[in-house]
Amino acid sequence: MTATPAWPPESTPRLFVDRALAAGEDVRIDGPQAHYLLAVMRTRPGDPVTLFDDRTGEWLAEAQAAGKRDLILHVTRQLRPREAVPDLWLCAAPIKRGRIDWIAEKACELGVARMIPVLTRRTVVDRLNMDRLRAHMVEAAEQCERTALPLLDPMVKLPALLRDWPEGRHLFFADENGGAALAGAIAAHRGPAALLIGPEGGFTPEEREAIRAVPQAVPVSLGPRILRADTAAVAAIAAWMTVTGDW
């Protein structure tokens, strides 16, 4: 007996749509997403497309009417509910373009629930293109079959971040002057958490003192090697996921 082909096939295009989805709805796709479906993927009426909305999960849709610059997708059924996300935030000082985009992309891939750009005294980049960062997260989620996206906060100054820090959330900060071994510190402080990664030049002595004054702060070491800020962010996320996340 001939095996029934998988449906939708693995080659099915996958897109994020910023609206709640439900079976029986029609979704109009235009702009770059329409160009991708029509010109790159050669999507035609009757072809499958998978959609996710960061609210309800992932859905199967079928291409309906296709124009030159837009097309209509008819949502048929839910494939998966929205995934559970570990309660981990990434608070990272922005670094030069390209590398902060990479951090946003990898934070999404690794399962971070929220990303907060933090302005410190030695931060070189004082403005961020939030739409571009969000686009990198969306692209990562589309390619890695995620059904959830991290929240992306506006940039906040370090003193404001520390002043308003939530009482029930541990703040692991990578202190270049040393601290507890990261894996052991994570194991000893389970529960809602955040990772604080400084800029290329590190935190100033005054900033380190202010961070350590926060009751929830846990100074940690990322090991004997000097890491670039983007490497430190990804390494710290991976360590937290290994010890107490969903890995």
Side-chain angles (χ1 to χ4, degrees):
M1 179 182 294
T2 304
T4 302
W7 192 260
E10 292 184 2
S11 59
T12 298
R14 187 171 188 272
L15 295 177
F16 167 71
V17 291
D18 194 9
R19 54 170 285 187
L21 297 172
E25 291 188 343
D26 288 337
V27 179
R28 179 175 177 268
I29 304 294
D30 57 10
Q33 288 184 320
H35 174 80
Y36 167 71
L37 291 178
L38 295 169
V40 179
M41 300 303 295
R42 304 292 182 184
T43 302
R44 296 296 178 260
D47 289 348
V49 178
T50 57
L51 305 173
F52 71 101
D53 59 6
D54 193 30
R55 297 172 176 84
T56 62
E58 183 178 67
W59 297 79
L60 179 63
E62 183 179 290
Q64 301 286 312
K68 291 185 177 180
R69 295 182 177 84
D70 65 352
L71 74 162
I72 302 298
L73 301 178
H74 181 70
V75 181
T76 59
R77 61 185 173 91
Q78 188 178 41
L79 298 175
R80 291 184 291 159
R82 186 181 187 272
E83 67 195 80
V85 178
D87 195 359
L88 177 66
W89 298 357
L90 174 64
C91 306
I95 51 180
K96 59 186 177 181
R97 180 176 176 174
R99 296 199 172 278
I100 188 61
D101 297 342
W102 186 83
I103 290 176
E105 175 185 292
K106 301 311 171 188
C108 178
E109 289 182 36
L110 292 168
V112 166
R114 187 174 192 172
M115 179 173 173
I116 307 174
V118 182
L119 186 64
T120 70
R121 292 185 183 177
R122 292 175 177 167
T123 300
V124 176
V125 178
D126 59 0
R127 293 183 182 179
L128 287 177
N129 185 328
M130 303 302 288
D131 289 339
R132 190 181 72 237
L133 285 183
R134 176 73 170 174
H136 278 279
M137 288 181 170
V138 168
E139 184 177 357
E142 289 175 342
Q143 293 181 356
C144 296
E145 300 189 6
R146 294 212 53 201
T147 57
L149 290 166
L151 294 174
L152 179 60
D153 284 23
M155 186 154 58
V156 61
K157 293 182 179 180
L158 179 62
L161 179 80
L162 300 179
R163 182 186 64 238
D164 299 330
W165 193 255
E167 182 177 349
R169 183 172 299 274
H170 302 300
L171 178 61
F172 299 99
F173 86 97
D175 188 350
E176 56 267 34
N177 282 2
L182 179 58
I186 293 171
H189 299 82
R190 295 180 179 269
L195 302 166
L196 177 58
I197 308 295
E200 290 96 329
F203 296 109
T204 66
E206 294 79 14
E207 287 174 332
R208 286 198 300 273
E209 182 178 348
I211 297 167
R212 284 176 176 266
V214 175
Q216 299 87 345
V218 183
V220 295
S221 168
L222 299 183
R225 286 163 289 280
I226 296 175
L227 303 179
R228 295 170 65 148
D230 47 348
T231 306
V234 171
I237 296 169
W240 191 90
M241 290 294 177
T242 299
V243 175
T244 193
D246 56 6
W247 283 20

